[in-house]
Amino acid sequence: MRWAAGLLLALAACGPVSPESAADRCEERARAAQGPTVGLTLGANSNSGPFASGSIGITSDAIRGRDPVEVYESCVFGLTGELPIRSVRLR
């Protein structure tokens, strides 16, 4: 019986995505298509003293040189089956 409840929850998660939610999710993907992202953290604490960490990320869309607007539009269409409700807001 528990597996049936889990299956129902999994199927519910595959339901339709709202246009607003799709736009938010796809804007993140479009921003990532603009190029590499870099993160840097610097800090200090009383236990271990100073610390630093960094990260670099790049998506396959950025490597292939895909247009971020096209990435956004195709992502929204793929999630909703409809054109975007708003223009992409890139940073």
Side-chain angles (χ1 to χ4, degrees), residues 8-58:
L8 287 175
L9 285 174
L11 289 175
C14 296
V17 176
S18 75
E20 188 65 33
S21 176
D24 292 340
R25 288 169 51 182
C26 294
E27 280 180 352
E28 287 299 318
R29 184 169 172 190
R31 282 186 203 108
Q34 289 180 297
T37 57
V38 178
L40 179 62
T41 303
L42 301 172
N45 64 38
S46 60
N47 294 332
S48 60
F51 62 88
S53 67
S55 65
I56 298 175
I58 190 163

